[in-house]
Amino acid sequence: MRLSNSKTRSETGFDHVMQSISVLTPFGKKRMKEIKPFLPGDEDRLDHEFHKLEEMVRLVDEKSRIVELLIETFMDMKDIRFTVERSKGNALSVVELFEIKSLLLKMKRIMELLETANLPLSEEFLLLDTVSLLDILDPRKDRMNTFYIYDDFSETLRDLRKKKRELETRIRNEQKAIKRQVEAHYGITLTPRFEYAVSKSNKELIKIIKEIPELTPGDEDYLSVVFTIKGTEETDSINRGLDQLNEKIEEQEVLIREKLSESVSQFSRILLKNCDKIGELDFILSKAIYARQHHCVKPHLLREHRIEIDDGRHLVVEEILNQKNKSYCPVSIYLEDGVTCITGANMGGKTVSLKLVG
């Protein structure tokens, strides 16, 4: 494997080119790290790799707006593979379910963009359908990049939340009545949150407010004391009912998260497969963009044991010369079995020619 050791990759400029290819997704970065050299016997696989790259170059050339939208979709895409694996036997959190839904929306967007492109694409780029899972996580089908344990997930949850709102309304109405009574009787104005702030420097006023039976000291800082409406027997009773309701609501939400997590688990194979497909699309599209930016051409793979390069360019050397406003002289090379001797003056291009072949 001497042809692909770290020194050779650096000397030939291969590492520089790879670092210049801008993959955007965690799946594309994973795909990039897993690249392996094509060895003798892999000619068909290499031809297919060139074919996929040619498809993406066509997409870059003919559908630039779609490429821009794909790049936007790739941005801030999170790696949810661990979350998908964790869904097997665990209740995912609301944040984790949101991340799954967010990725599903991006998958749907990618599928729509590729369909809009109306170009023949290899199967490696075509995502598997996950709309049914998206419908489960998005029962209202509003397709917004948010997530909440909606009432639509459970009639029981809907009823419990309705009762909670009714109790909260009763408490607020009771507090409003007390607020009106206090304001009318004592000539003070409480905030909409039923609070009255008094500066600590006004000790006389603090003493007076403390005598009001409907108010009680609440939060305070180094400047002021905030008085709030004191709970009544009725509000205390309602609050106890609220505590019980909240416990039941939390239990229902856990059951819903468990059910949704089970659905994610059932789609785990498809989700992970789509992550690999997104990684492939991201990586090959990034190579295509690099190829177009550097005016690269598709190589023709010879089955015979020889190499032919017409007007070849060493991209790293060319880039350095361009930065110095100098032109690069292309190199043509034809090599067959046997020994070839390269001769010439110092700085004549012998080393660059060797690196170019590499």
Side-chain angles (χ1 to χ4, degrees):
M1 300 296 291
R2 287 185 299 169
L3 290 177
S4 62
N5 63 32
S6 59
K7 187 176 188 306
T8 303
R9 288 196 299 268
S10 174
E11 289 292 332
T12 57
F14 178 80
D15 284 346
H16 176 84
V17 170
M18 292 300 291
Q19 291 166 6
S20 302
I21 294 173
S22 302
V23 291
L24 299 172
T25 69
F27 317 119
K29 292 173 183 176
K30 175 177 177 288
R31 169 68 177 87
M32 195 170 182
K33 288 179 181 178
E34 292 175 347
I35 61 170
K36 296 179 181 179
F38 291 90
L39 303 175
D42 294 336
E43 290 81 7
D44 290 338
R45 287 180 51 242
L46 180 54
D47 262 338
H48 183 60
E49 192 73 11
F50 289 150
H51 175 70
K52 289 191 297 183
L53 182 53
E54 191 174 35
E55 290 178 342
M56 287 297 105
V57 168
R58 188 181 304 119
L59 186 69
V60 171
D61 288 343
E62 300 179 13
K63 309 289 181 178
S64 59
R65 180 54 183 163
I66 288 178
V67 170
E68 290 174 4
L69 294 174
L70 280 172
I71 291 173
E72 288 179 10
T73 308
F74 288 157
M75 289 179 177
D76 70 20
M77 189 176 281
K78 293 188 176 181
D79 190 349
I80 52 83
R81 286 171 296 187
F82 175 75
T83 302
V84 172
E85 293 291 348
R86 216 179 75 77
S87 69
K88 301 173 183 177
N90 296 287
L92 299 178
S93 68
V94 171
V95 173
E96 289 173 317
L97 289 169
F98 161 71
E99 290 176 346
I100 295 289
K101 179 187 173 185
S102 180
L103 184 65
L104 289 169
L105 288 170
K106 287 181 171 65
M107 288 179 178
K108 182 174 181 293
R109 178 64 167 158
I110 291 170
M111 291 174 66
E112 291 171 347
L113 288 172
L114 294 180
E115 288 175 5
T116 304
N118 197 28
L119 291 174
L121 295 174
S122 297
E123 186 179 345
E124 290 94 326
F125 302 133
L126 304 180
L127 303 189
L128 304 175
D129 189 7
T130 53
V131 173
S132 54
L133 177 59
L134 179 57
D135 288 342
I136 293 172
L137 296 180
D138 185 24
R140 298 178 181 178
K141 298 184 180 180
D142 55 19
R143 299 308 190 240
M144 295 180 64
N145 193 26
T146 57
F147 183 79
Y148 175 67
I149 303 294
Y150 304 106
D151 293 349
D152 307 69
F153 285 129
S154 164
E155 290 185 10
T156 303
L157 180 64
R158 182 189 295 114
D159 293 340
L160 289 171
R161 284 177 172 172
K162 181 181 178 182
K163 291 178 182 177
K164 179 181 178 180
R165 288 191 295 271
E166 291 171 352
L167 292 181
E168 288 173 338
T169 301
R170 284 176 57 190
I171 290 177
R172 190 163 184 83
N173 289 338
E174 177 74 9
Q175 289 174 324
K176 284 180 179 178
I178 296 172
K179 178 177 181 286
R180 288 192 296 268
Q181 179 182 332
V182 169
E183 290 176 339
H185 194 272
Y186 299 99
I188 62 175
T189 301
L190 276 65
T191 69
R193 297 179 61 184
F194 313 109
E195 295 176 342
Y196 185 71
V198 182
S199 172
K200 283 188 173 181
S201 63
N202 195 340
K203 298 185 183 300
E204 187 64 28
L205 182 57
I206 291 177
K207 185 177 179 181
I208 293 172
I209 299 299
K210 281 184 176 181
E211 297 298 321
I212 299 176
E214 293 87 354
L215 298 181
T216 183
D219 295 335
E220 64 176 278
D221 54 28
Y222 67 96
L223 289 176
S224 60
V225 178
V226 178
F227 291 86
T228 60
I229 291 177
K230 187 182 297 183
T232 64
E233 287 186 9
E234 183 178 355
T235 57
D236 289 344
S237 174
I238 295 173
N239 277 320
R240 285 193 293 271
L242 271 176
D243 290 339
Q244 294 174 356
L245 270 178
N246 284 329
E247 288 181 6
K248 293 179 180 179
I249 288 172
E250 287 179 8
E251 290 173 359
Q252 279 298 309
E253 289 179 347
V254 170
L255 291 174
I256 290 168
R257 289 192 292 108
E258 287 176 348
K259 186 176 180 181
L260 294 177
S261 301
E262 185 179 349
S263 297
V264 172
S265 176
Q266 291 172 355
F267 275 80
S268 60
R269 185 190 64 81
I270 292 176
L271 287 172
L272 295 175
K273 185 70 174 176
N274 275 358
C275 290
D276 290 339
K277 286 176 175 285
I278 291 172
E280 187 72 13
L281 177 61
D282 183 20
F283 179 49
I284 304 298
L285 180 59
S286 299
K287 288 204 293 184
I289 292 171
Y290 179 89
R292 268 296 171 253
Q293 290 173 341
H294 293 80
H295 311 289
C296 300
V297 298
K298 178 184 177 182
H300 174 66
L301 185 60
L302 296 176
R303 302 297 169 132
E304 303 83 40
H305 195 215
R306 73 177 193 274
I307 186 167
E308 300 180 8
I309 300 176
D310 292 319
D311 290 336
R313 298 141 51 218
H314 189 280
L315 296 176
V316 180
V317 176
E318 184 182 52
E319 185 176 317
I320 294 171
L321 290 174
N322 288 340
Q323 291 172 355
K324 297 179 179 180
N325 294 319
K326 296 181 180 181
S327 59
Y328 178 88
C329 180
V331 178
S332 296
I333 298 172
Y334 304 91
L335 298 174
E336 294 183 339
D337 281 342
V339 177
T340 300
C341 179
I342 302 180
T343 64
N346 291 341
M347 303 299 293
K350 300 186 297 298
T351 302
V352 171
S353 297
L354 289 172
K355 290 183 177 182
L356 172 62
V357 172

